[in-house]
Amino acid sequence: MRRLFPVTDQTSADPTSAPADHGDREWSLDELAEAYAYPAIGPEGHWLRANMVSTLDGAAQHDGRSQPISSETDMRIFGTLRALADVVVVGAETVRQEGYRPARAREAFAARRAAAGQGPAPAIAVVTASLDLDFSLPLFTSPLVPTLVVTGAAASAERVAAAAGAGAEVVLAGDGAAVDPARIVRELADRGLRRQLTEGGPRLLGQFVAADALDELCLTISPMLAAGGAQRISGGPPVTVPHRLAPASVLEEAGFLYTSYRRI
């Protein structure tokens, strides 16, 4: 397992070496990008990673949002993961609750994205069976890269037309009203969107887990206790046998643990 030392410590370029004491500083965006780089993906392949945050007692949200249990460093990693992805896959309920906006181009990652053959920013792909979305929002009216709406073949023709009229690209990833999570991954990869990132919510992540479509989980463990009835990071029916992942990296700062686990 690769261990990443605290983001406030200056370390050598070798993540397996002991940290050098050169004073407090933040990890640079380049260092984070190297730490969270996608594995090599062949022309027919794809890699789906999830990025989630959880309290010590398993709450993925507080008052319906993830921001209260997050941190500044968590948001820097959040931005880095987005900047490395071809597409960000998110459920419609999360779009509504979190006030999603289009992904933006970031100068700090421009050269890295260009070298990887990527556009200036990742696309946002919204997964929805009902298409119950406000298509007047900036996510649909003014994205740098057209937003994708992923739905089933039996979706309302009127709502599909409304999505297309707003400038969204409609992707069919299911034969009925529901969306097939494994097919989402394939359909996006067929469009050249092979480095995939899902930010949930818990219901969507649970669907990817149940379909055995998830390759990697980037999980921030927040040093907080929330109690209450908040959702876990993934929901839905249980899998027959729990999926085992292997730890890939750990980063610690101010009590927060920033972990990465990959499929075995």
Side-chain angles (χ1 to χ4, degrees):
M1 180 185 73
R2 177 178 59 192
R3 182 180 186 275
L4 304 178
F5 294 99
V7 292
T8 52
D9 287 347
Q10 184 165 348
T11 66
S12 84
D14 180 0
T16 63
S17 65
D21 184 11
H22 295 300
D24 290 346
R25 69 170 179 87
E26 288 185 331
W27 277 57
S28 71
L29 292 178
D30 278 341
E31 287 170 317
L32 289 176
E34 289 295 330
Y36 286 98
Y38 278 84
I41 304 172
E44 303 300 323
H46 44 71
W47 187 269
L48 175 64
R49 65 168 33 147
N51 181 34
M52 302 292 285
V53 59
S54 171
T55 63
L56 294 173
D57 54 351
Q61 304 163 336
H62 185 69
D63 287 338
R65 300 178 64 243
S66 59
Q67 189 277 331
I69 62 173
S70 180
S71 70
E72 182 178 346
T73 299
D74 184 43
M75 295 310 298
R76 292 182 74 233
I77 293 174
F78 171 93
T80 299
L81 293 177
R82 277 195 163 201
L84 297 175
D86 296 327
V87 61
V88 178
V89 188
V90 63
E93 184 62 21
T94 299
V95 167
R96 290 188 287 264
Q97 289 190 356
E98 301 278 356
Y100 261 60
R101 299 184 64 83
R104 58 189 178 90
R106 299 183 61 186
E107 182 61 31
F109 296 97
R112 186 179 295 271
R113 289 188 65 86
Q118 296 172 302
I124 304 293
V126 183
V127 180
T128 172
S130 67
L131 283 85
D132 180 17
L133 297 163
D134 182 354
F135 294 118
S136 69
L137 294 176
L139 179 61
F140 302 101
T141 61
S142 57
L144 188 61
V145 179
T147 294
L148 296 90
V149 173
V150 185
T151 191
S156 161
E158 180 181 357
R159 297 303 295 164
V160 168
E169 178 183 350
V170 178
V171 178
L172 300 182
D175 295 329
V179 180
D180 177 352
R183 188 168 162 185
I184 295 172
V185 175
R186 296 195 303 269
E187 291 288 345
L188 294 175
D190 286 347
R191 288 163 171 77
L193 305 174
R194 297 181 293 115
R195 303 173 190 88
Q196 301 170 4
L197 170 67
T198 180
E199 296 170 351
R203 185 187 310 172
L204 179 61
L205 179 55
Q207 291 173 352
F208 282 129
V209 170
D212 196 21
L214 189 70
D215 298 296
E216 180 180 1
L217 172 63
C218 297
L219 176 64
T220 294
I221 302 173
S222 172
M224 301 179 188
L225 296 170
Q231 290 179 296
R232 296 160 49 198
I233 65 167
S234 67
V239 296
T240 303
V241 178
H243 299 170
R244 180 71 180 266
L245 304 180
S249 64
V250 179
L251 177 74
E252 184 276 337
E253 188 265 339
F256 284 79
L257 295 179
Y258 306 97
T259 71
S260 172
Y261 292 81
R262 293 184 172 182
R263 67 161 63 243
I264 296 173

